[in-house]
Amino acid sequence: MAAADDRGPVEPGRPSISPTVAMSSWQGVMESGLSKIDDTLLTIASCMMWVLMLGTVAGVVARSLLKAKFTGFFEVSAAYLFIGIVMLVLGVLQAKDEHIRITLLVERSRPRGRAAWGLFAYLLGAVVCATVAYYAWILLVESIRTGALVPALVDLPLWVSRLLIFVGYVSWTVHFLQSASIAYSNIRVHSRVSDTSAGSDRSSI
């Protein structure tokens, strides 16, 4: 993991471990486990992207050349694929620090203040995503219980789309918590550095 520059702004994406922080054992295990999960979700989303592109081409060819009619089947399938492509990479984007970032409030703060702002943002993001995941779970269970279907040429189960939404927000929540743990470690380091610097200044006086 890349080291953060104490003099630079702490980005609202996934933070880096400060160069004076040693990653704890549980953070290392979490990092390794999440990397494997992220790779799996990214692979699934990539496969969905390929299916979407090939399906689009096949649909155009069938309608134009073969005059075949797909009564809403591909449109519904494409909606499911879009949901999967978007939702499954939410946590991956958080891990890669590729979400939209706003640094107006944090870039003028001192290092410890920037880390504190980051901790607050990550915890707030975790609460929001966990809340969405909770309601997505309720809707998922309900759709499984009722066996709701989306009508098309071949009826598709509604629970599939809700499962994708649930998995996406759970992954995002976990990555927010991981970022929060790193930000907290950085706060502790900056506090120790500040205390050491203050002690050195008093000694020199």
Side-chain angles (χ1 to χ4, degrees):
M1 182 179 296
D5 186 349
D6 289 347
R7 296 170 296 178
V10 173
E11 303 290 357
R14 179 166 174 260
S16 299
I17 290 287
S18 176
T20 50
V21 171
M23 181 181 292
S24 64
S25 58
W26 71 268
Q27 284 177 327
V29 171
M30 190 177 193
E31 174 81 12
S32 176
L34 287 179
S35 295
K36 295 178 181 178
I37 295 175
D38 289 343
D39 291 341
T40 301
L41 295 178
L42 189 59
T43 300
I44 295 174
S46 299
C47 292
M48 288 182 170
M49 178 66 76
W50 276 103
V51 172
L52 179 62
M53 292 188 296
L54 295 176
T56 301
V57 173
V60 171
V61 172
R63 287 187 177 92
S64 301
L65 301 181
L66 305 178
K67 305 301 181 183
K69 295 182 179 180
F70 298 96
T71 311
F73 173 70
F74 181 70
E75 286 76 7
V76 175
S77 301
Y80 276 57
L81 293 171
F82 271 121
I83 293 172
I85 292 168
V86 172
M87 300 307 302
L88 295 182
V89 299
L90 288 177
V92 178
L93 292 177
Q94 178 67 31
K96 295 180 179 296
D97 192 14
E98 294 182 357
H99 283 290
I100 295 175
R101 300 173 299 187
I102 301 175
T103 61
L104 180 62
L105 294 178
V106 300
E107 62 185 2
R108 300 178 182 276
S109 304
R110 299 176 66 84
R112 184 168 59 179
R114 292 196 295 267
W117 273 110
L119 177 61
F120 171 76
Y122 303 134
L123 291 178
L124 179 61
V127 170
V128 172
C129 290
T131 301
V132 177
Y134 170 74
Y135 285 104
W137 172 258
I138 293 176
L139 294 175
L140 170 61
V141 172
E142 179 185 359
S143 60
I144 293 176
R145 180 177 56 82
T146 60
L149 299 174
V150 178
L153 185 63
V154 177
D155 292 342
L156 298 175
L158 181 60
W159 65 264
V160 174
S161 60
R162 293 178 174 177
L163 175 62
L164 293 171
I165 295 172
F166 173 73
V167 171
Y169 275 99
V170 168
S171 173
W172 204 0
T173 300
V174 172
H175 278 290
F176 267 127
L177 293 175
Q178 182 192 27
S179 298
S181 71
I182 296 174
Y184 177 70
S185 298
N186 287 337
I187 290 175
R188 295 180 61 186
V189 167
H190 292 312
S191 297
R192 290 198 296 268
V193 170
S194 298
D195 293 341
T196 302
S197 299
S200 300
D201 292 341
R202 287 194 296 270
S203 300
S204 60
I205 293 175

